[in-house]
Coordinates of all heavy atoms in Angstrom, one line a residue:
Y50 N 0.8 -1.2 0.0 CA 0.0 0.0 0.0 C 0.9 1.3 0.0 O 0.5 2.2 -0.7 CB -0.9 0.0 1.2 CG -2.3 -0.7 1.0 CD1 -2.4 -2.0 1.2 CD2 -3.4 0.0 0.5 CE1 -3.6 -2.7 1.0 CE2 -4.6 -0.6 0.3 CZ -4.7 -2.0 0.5 OH -5.9 -2.6 0.3
S51 N 2.0 1.2 0.7 CA 2.8 2.4 0.8 C 3.3 2.7 -0.6 O 3.3 3.9 -1.0 CB 4.0 2.1 1.7 OG 4.9 3.3 1.8
R52 N 3.7 1.7 -1.4 CA 4.2 2.0 -2.8 C 3.0 2.5 -3.6 O 3.2 3.5 -4.4 CB 4.7 0.7 -3.4 CG 6.1 0.3 -2.9 CD 6.7 -0.8 -3.7 NE 6.0 -2.0 -3.8 CZ 5.9 -3.0 -2.9 NH1 6.6 -2.9 -1.8 NH2 5.2 -4.1 -3.1
S53 N 1.9 1.9 -3.5 CA 0.7 2.3 -4.3 C 0.3 3.8 -3.9 O 0.1 4.6 -4.8 CB -0.5 1.4 -4.0 OG -1.6 1.9 -4.7
H54 N 0.3 4.1 -2.6 CA -0.1 5.4 -2.2 C 0.9 6.5 -2.6 O 0.5 7.6 -3.1 CB -0.3 5.4 -0.7 CG -1.4 4.6 -0.2 ND1 -1.5 4.2 1.1 CD2 -2.6 4.2 -0.9 CE1 -2.7 3.5 1.2 NE2 -3.3 3.5 0.1
T55 N 2.2 6.1 -2.5 CA 3.2 7.1 -3.0 C 3.1 7.4 -4.5 O 3.1 8.5 -4.9 CB 4.6 6.5 -2.6 OG1 4.7 6.4 -1.2 CG2 5.7 7.5 -3.1
D56 N 2.9 6.3 -5.2 CA 2.7 6.5 -6.7 C 1.5 7.4 -7.0 O 1.5 8.3 -7.8 CB 2.6 5.2 -7.4 CG 3.9 4.4 -7.4 OD1 5.0 5.0 -7.1 OD2 3.8 3.2 -7.7
L57 N 0.3 7.1 -6.4 CA -0.9 7.8 -6.7 C -0.8 9.3 -6.2 O -1.2 10.2 -6.9 CB -2.1 7.1 -6.0 CG -2.6 5.9 -6.6 CD1 -3.7 5.2 -5.7 CD2 -3.2 6.1 -8.0
H58 N -0.2 9.5 -5.0 CA 0.0 10.8 -4.5 C 0.9 11.6 -5.5 O 0.6 12.8 -5.8 CB 0.5 10.8 -3.1 CG 0.7 12.1 -2.5 ND1 -0.3 12.9 -2.1 CD2 1.8 12.8 -2.2 CE1 0.2 14.0 -1.6 NE2 1.5 14.0 -1.6
S59 N 1.9 11.1 -5.9 CA 2.9 11.7 -6.8 C 2.2 12.0 -8.1 O 2.3 13.2 -8.7 CB 4.1 10.8 -7.0 OG 5.0 11.4 -8.0
F60 N 1.5 11.1 -8.7 CA 0.8 11.3 -10.0 C -0.2 12.4 -9.9 O -0.3 13.3 -10.7 CB 0.1 10.0 -10.4 CG -0.6 10.1 -11.8 CD1 0.1 10.1 -12.9 CD2 -1.9 10.3 -11.8 CE1 -0.5 10.2 -14.2 CE2 -2.6 10.5 -13.0 CZ -1.9 10.4 -14.2
T61 N -1.1 12.4 -8.9 CA -2.1 13.4 -8.8 C -1.6 14.7 -8.4 O -2.2 15.8 -8.7 CB -3.2 13.0 -7.7 OG1 -2.6 12.8 -6.5 CG2 -3.9 11.7 -8.2
G62 N -0.4 14.8 -7.8 CA 0.2 16.1 -7.5 C 0.6 16.8 -8.7 O 0.7 18.1 -8.7
D63 N 0.8 16.1 -9.8 CA 1.2 16.8 -11.1 C 0.1 17.0 -12.1 O 0.3 17.4 -13.2 CB 2.3 15.9 -11.8 CG 3.6 15.8 -11.0 OD1 3.9 16.8 -10.3 OD2 4.3 14.8 -11.2
L64 N -1.2 16.8 -11.6 CA -2.3 16.9 -12.5 C -2.6 18.4 -12.9 O -2.4 19.3 -12.1 CB -3.6 16.3 -11.9 CG -3.7 14.8 -11.8 CD1 -5.0 14.5 -11.0 CD2 -3.7 14.2 -13.2
T65 N -3.1 18.5 -14.1 CA -3.7 19.8 -14.5 C -5.1 19.5 -15.0 O -5.4 18.4 -15.3 CB -2.9 20.5 -15.7 OG1 -2.9 19.6 -16.8 CG2 -1.4 20.7 -15.2
E66 N -5.9 20.6 -15.2 CA -7.2 20.4 -15.8 C -7.1 19.7 -17.1 O -7.9 18.8 -17.5 CB -8.0 21.7 -15.8 CG -8.4 22.3 -14.5 CD -9.3 21.4 -13.7 OE1 -10.2 20.7 -14.2 OE2 -9.2 21.4 -12.4
E67 N -6.2 20.1 -17.9 CA -6.0 19.6 -19.3 C -5.6 18.1 -19.2 O -6.1 17.3 -20.0 CB -4.9 20.3 -20.1 CG -5.3 21.8 -20.3 CD -5.1 22.7 -19.1 OE1 -4.2 22.5 -18.3 OE2 -5.9 23.6 -19.0
S68 N -4.7 17.7 -18.3 CA -4.3 16.4 -18.2 C -5.4 15.4 -17.8 O -5.4 14.2 -18.1 CB -3.1 16.2 -17.3 OG -3.4 16.4 -15.9
L69 N -6.4 15.9 -17.1 CA -7.5 15.0 -16.7 C -8.3 14.5 -17.9 O -8.9 13.5 -17.9 CB -8.5 15.8 -15.8 CG -8.0 16.1 -14.4 CD1 -9.0 16.9 -13.6 CD2 -7.7 14.8 -13.6
A70 N -8.3 15.3 -19.0 CA -9.0 14.9 -20.2 C -8.2 13.9 -21.1 O -8.8 13.4 -22.1 CB -9.5 16.1 -21.0
R71 N -7.0 13.7 -20.8 CA -6.1 12.9 -21.7 C -6.7 11.4 -21.7 O -7.0 10.8 -20.7 CB -4.7 12.8 -21.1 CG -3.8 11.9 -21.9 CD -2.3 11.9 -21.4 NE -2.2 11.6 -20.0 CZ -2.0 10.3 -19.6 NH1 -2.1 9.3 -20.4 NH2 -1.8 10.1 -18.3
P72 N -6.8 10.9 -22.9 CA -7.3 9.5 -23.0 C -6.2 8.5 -22.5 O -5.0 8.7 -22.7 CB -7.5 9.2 -24.5 CG -7.3 10.6 -25.2 CD -6.6 11.5 -24.2
V73 N -6.7 7.5 -21.9 CA -5.8 6.4 -21.3 C -6.2 5.1 -21.9 O -7.4 4.7 -21.8 CB -5.9 6.4 -19.8 CG1 -5.0 5.3 -19.2 CG2 -5.5 7.7 -19.2
Q74 N -5.3 4.4 -22.5 CA -5.6 3.1 -23.0 C -5.4 2.0 -21.9 O -4.6 2.2 -21.0 CB -4.6 2.8 -24.2 CG -4.7 3.7 -25.4 CD -6.1 3.8 -25.9 OE1 -6.8 2.7 -26.2 NE2 -6.7 5.0 -26.1
N75 N -6.3 1.0 -22.1 CA -6.2 -0.1 -21.1 C -5.6 -1.3 -21.9 O -6.2 -1.9 -22.7 CB -7.6 -0.5 -20.6 CG -7.6 -1.5 -19.6 OD1 -6.7 -2.4 -19.6 ND2 -8.6 -1.5 -18.7
P76 N -4.3 -1.6 -21.6 CA -3.7 -2.7 -22.3 C -4.2 -4.1 -22.0 O -4.0 -5.0 -22.8 CB -2.2 -2.6 -21.9 CG -2.2 -1.9 -20.6 CD -3.4 -1.0 -20.6
W77 N -4.9 -4.2 -20.9 CA -5.4 -5.5 -20.5 C -6.8 -5.8 -20.9 O -7.2 -6.9 -21.3 CB -5.3 -5.7 -18.9 CG -3.9 -5.6 -18.4 CD1 -3.0 -6.5 -18.5 CD2 -3.3 -4.4 -17.9 NE1 -1.8 -6.1 -18.0 CE2 -1.9 -4.8 -17.6 CE3 -3.7 -3.1 -17.5 CZ2 -1.0 -3.9 -17.0 CZ3 -2.8 -2.3 -16.9 CH2 -1.5 -2.7 -16.7
V78 N -7.6 -4.7 -20.9 CA -9.0 -4.8 -21.4 C -9.3 -3.5 -22.2 O -9.8 -2.5 -21.6 CB -10.0 -4.9 -20.2 CG1 -11.4 -5.2 -20.6 CG2 -9.5 -6.0 -19.2
P79 N -9.0 -3.5 -23.5 CA -9.1 -2.3 -24.3 C -10.4 -1.6 -24.3 O -10.5 -0.4 -24.3 CB -8.7 -2.8 -25.7 CG -7.9 -4.0 -25.5 CD -8.4 -4.7 -24.2
E80 N -11.5 -2.3 -24.1 CA -12.8 -1.7 -24.1 C -13.1 -1.0 -22.8 O -14.1 -0.2 -22.7 CB -13.9 -2.7 -24.4 CG -14.1 -3.9 -23.5 CD -13.2 -5.1 -23.8 OE1 -12.3 -4.9 -24.7 OE2 -13.4 -6.1 -23.2
L81 N -12.2 -1.1 -21.8 CA -12.4 -0.4 -20.5 C -11.4 0.7 -20.4 O -10.8 0.9 -19.4 CB -12.3 -1.4 -19.4 CG -13.3 -2.4 -19.3 CD1 -13.1 -3.3 -18.0 CD2 -14.7 -1.8 -19.2
A82 N -11.2 1.5 -21.5 CA -10.3 2.6 -21.5 C -11.1 3.9 -21.0 O -12.4 3.8 -20.9 CB -9.7 2.9 -22.9
G83 N -10.5 5.0 -20.8 CA -11.2 6.2 -20.4 C -10.2 7.3 -20.3 O -9.0 7.2 -20.7
T84 N -10.6 8.4 -19.7 CA -9.7 9.6 -19.5 C -9.0 9.4 -18.2 O -9.4 8.6 -17.4 CB -10.5 10.9 -19.5 OG1 -11.4 10.9 -18.4 CG2 -11.3 11.1 -20.8
V85 N -8.0 10.2 -18.0 CA -7.3 10.2 -16.7 C -8.3 10.4 -15.6 O -8.2 9.7 -14.6 CB -6.2 11.3 -16.7 CG1 -5.6 11.5 -15.3 CG2 -5.1 11.0 -17.7
A86 N -9.2 11.4 -15.7 CA -10.2 11.6 -14.7 C -11.0 10.4 -14.4 O -11.3 10.0 -13.2 CB -11.0 12.8 -15.0
Q87 N -11.5 9.8 -15.5 CA -12.3 8.6 -15.3 C -11.6 7.4 -14.7 O -12.1 6.7 -13.8 CB -12.9 8.2 -16.7 CG -13.9 9.2 -17.2 CD -14.2 9.0 -18.7 OE1 -13.4 8.4 -19.4 NE2 -15.4 9.4 -19.1
I88 N -10.3 7.2 -15.0 CA -9.5 6.1 -14.5 C -9.3 6.4 -13.0 O -9.4 5.5 -12.1 CB -8.2 5.9 -15.2 CG1 -8.5 5.6 -16.7 CG2 -7.3 4.9 -14.5 CD1 -9.3 4.3 -16.9
L89 N -9.0 7.7 -12.6 CA -8.7 8.0 -11.2 C -10.0 7.8 -10.4 O -10.0 7.3 -9.3 CB -8.2 9.4 -11.1 CG -6.7 9.6 -11.4 CD1 -6.3 11.0 -11.5 CD2 -5.8 8.8 -10.4
M90 N -11.2 8.2 -11.0 CA -12.4 7.9 -10.3 C -12.7 6.4 -10.1 O -13.2 6.0 -9.1 CB -13.6 8.6 -11.0 CG -13.6 10.1 -10.8 SD -13.5 10.7 -9.1 CE -15.1 10.0 -8.5
Q91 N -12.3 5.6 -11.1 CA -12.4 4.2 -11.0 C -11.6 3.7 -9.8 O -12.0 2.9 -9.0 CB -12.0 3.5 -12.3 CG -11.9 2.0 -12.2 CD -13.2 1.3 -11.7 OE1 -14.3 1.8 -12.0 NE2 -13.1 0.1 -11.1

């Protein structure tokens, strides 16, 4: 959890409103892709 939390905290610390709209591909289940904002909400 410490590794996961550090990674998530670091990633969200660098967010901008524009970056939230960036599309994100899902390499494991391509039909479950979304934007950065949608993936973070997931």
Side-chain angles (χ1 to χ4, degrees):
Y50 272 88
S51 180
R52 285 193 303 277
S53 175
H54 292 161
T55 299
D56 290 345
L57 286 171
H58 181 70
S59 176
F60 180 81
T61 58
D63 294 333
L64 288 176
T65 64
E66 292 296 327
E67 296 77 33
S68 67
L69 289 176
R71 177 178 58 87
V73 177
Q74 298 304 310
N75 184 330
W77 299 282
V78 188
E80 59 274 10
L81 296 181
T84 65
V85 168
Q87 291 166 334
I88 298 302
L89 284 169
M90 287 305 299
Q91 172 60 28

